[in-house]
Amino acid sequence: MSDTTGPARPLPETIGRYGIWSIGLRSENADRRTELAEATAELEELGYGAVWLGGNSTARNAAPLIEATGRIVVATSIQSVWQQDAAETAAEFTALEAAHPGRFVLGLGVSHGPRVQQYRKPYSTMVGYLDRLDEFDRSGEGGVPAGRRVLAALGPRMLRLARDRAAGAIPYLVTPDHTAQAREILGGTTLLAPEFKVVLETDPARARAVAREYLAPYLELPNYTDNFLRLGFTDSDVTGGGSDRLIDAVFAWGEESRIRRRTRFPGPAGGAPTRP
């Protein structure tokens, strides 16, 4: 497939207004390569600007999907800074960029304490990781320039880092109120691609049950619960799988027209990924 996206275009323009977040498009199983490539090609035909690979994804996971398509951007959401060192990340980015300019975006995150044995000083670790990528870039050894990396930022300090040291932010498991606050911190032109969940179910009880089952494991991770508390939710909202108030803020559910209204975020294009 020929590439039609070049590296000179601003990232928000390149990835468009909507993308798809999916852990299902990330697989280490070579037998699924054709299936995943065909799914990505279909998303490209439907007009999506980007796919965001859930889980701890790397350029290696993105490469087969990029090779099978001609325009759509493939991004990691997220690659954990604890799982792969900056030198390997820079080398993989350089190789993929040489083969398919402008088609890959590196999404980086600090993951969660309960999931990472060596977890410590996540903000400082992210700063150090970005420093290393910049060192490779300045030396000509093939780093990842700021305009081609985004950060999984929730709190104000990490959002400011995303504004100052990256192309923008990719907050996961957030509400429209968080999106508005993040936009204020990032400014009007920096990429903001919040992940927003949808449930195609019109019955309130069934929709909330589906959403609650999905959300429950995330409510065991302090990064997410602390963010909800910052947004004005209470301890009772983040227990028992989440209150109706929290569910209705984090998920868009109902008929298609209602979901469309909920996912029309104001402001400039940000490539907001939705997760069906």
Side-chain angles (χ1 to χ4, degrees):
M1 302 288 291
S2 61
D3 291 321
T4 58
T5 299
R9 298 173 65 194
L11 193 54
E13 181 183 338
T14 300
I15 69 172
R17 193 168 186 85
Y18 294 102
I20 292 292
W21 184 96
S22 174
I23 199 169
L25 291 173
R26 175 202 179 279
S27 178
E28 305 292 342
N29 185 350
D31 293 339
R32 296 195 62 211
R33 179 168 179 158
T34 299
E35 174 192 355
L36 300 184
E38 289 176 349
T40 306
E42 183 176 354
L43 291 171
E44 180 176 73
E45 291 175 4
L46 289 171
Y48 289 101
V51 293
W52 302 82
L53 304 183
N56 180 31
S57 302
T58 68
R60 295 187 301 277
N61 302 115
L65 308 185
I66 291 173
E67 291 166 1
T69 52
R71 172 192 56 80
I72 198 167
V73 171
V74 182
T76 56
S77 179
I78 59 168
Q79 179 182 309
S80 170
V81 297
W82 310 102
Q83 300 299 319
Q84 181 165 292
D85 65 38
E88 187 176 3
T89 295
E92 289 183 355
F93 176 89
T94 300
L96 192 51
E97 178 69 8
H100 304 280
R103 297 286 310 285
F104 175 67
V105 173
L106 176 68
L108 290 171
V110 295
S111 190
H112 304 273
R115 293 182 175 179
V116 179
Q117 185 175 4
Q118 70 269 38
Y119 199 83
R120 66 193 182 282
K121 298 182 177 179
Y123 180 84
S124 298
T125 299
M126 177 61 80
V127 170
Y129 202 94
L130 297 177
D131 288 344
R132 288 288 289 153
L133 294 180
D134 288 345
E135 288 172 10
F136 289 117
D137 196 36
R138 286 192 298 268
S139 70
E141 296 180 21
V144 184
R148 301 294 299 286
R149 64 197 189 206
V150 291
L151 306 186
L154 291 177
R157 190 159 69 146
M158 195 68 81
L159 282 165
R160 288 191 292 269
L161 186 66
R163 176 194 65 198
D164 298 339
R165 299 288 306 276
I170 49 170
Y172 182 84
L173 202 68
V174 293
T175 68
D177 284 346
H178 182 276
T179 299
Q181 294 176 22
R183 175 51 72 198
E184 184 174 352
I185 292 172
L186 292 171
T189 58
T190 303
L191 175 72
L192 175 58
E195 181 270 349
F196 192 56
K197 303 185 187 318
V198 302
V199 179
L200 289 168
E201 173 59 64
T202 58
D203 179 81
R206 286 199 294 266
R208 288 176 178 138
V210 170
R212 191 165 281 116
E213 181 180 5
Y214 182 88
L215 182 63
Y218 291 100
L219 295 182
E220 298 176 2
L221 300 173
N223 287 6
Y224 292 129
T225 54
D226 288 349
N227 192 52
F228 290 138
L229 296 176
R230 277 196 299 268
L231 292 168
F233 293 97
T234 66
D235 288 337
S236 62
D237 287 314
V238 298
T239 57
S243 67
D244 284 354
R245 183 167 81 107
L246 180 64
I247 293 294
D248 291 350
V250 175
F251 292 80
W253 55 265
E255 62 184 4
E256 184 178 338
S257 61
R258 184 174 188 267
I259 289 173
R260 284 182 181 275
R261 289 193 298 271
R262 290 290 310 279
T263 56
R264 284 199 187 103
F265 294 103
T274 59
R275 192 210 190 275

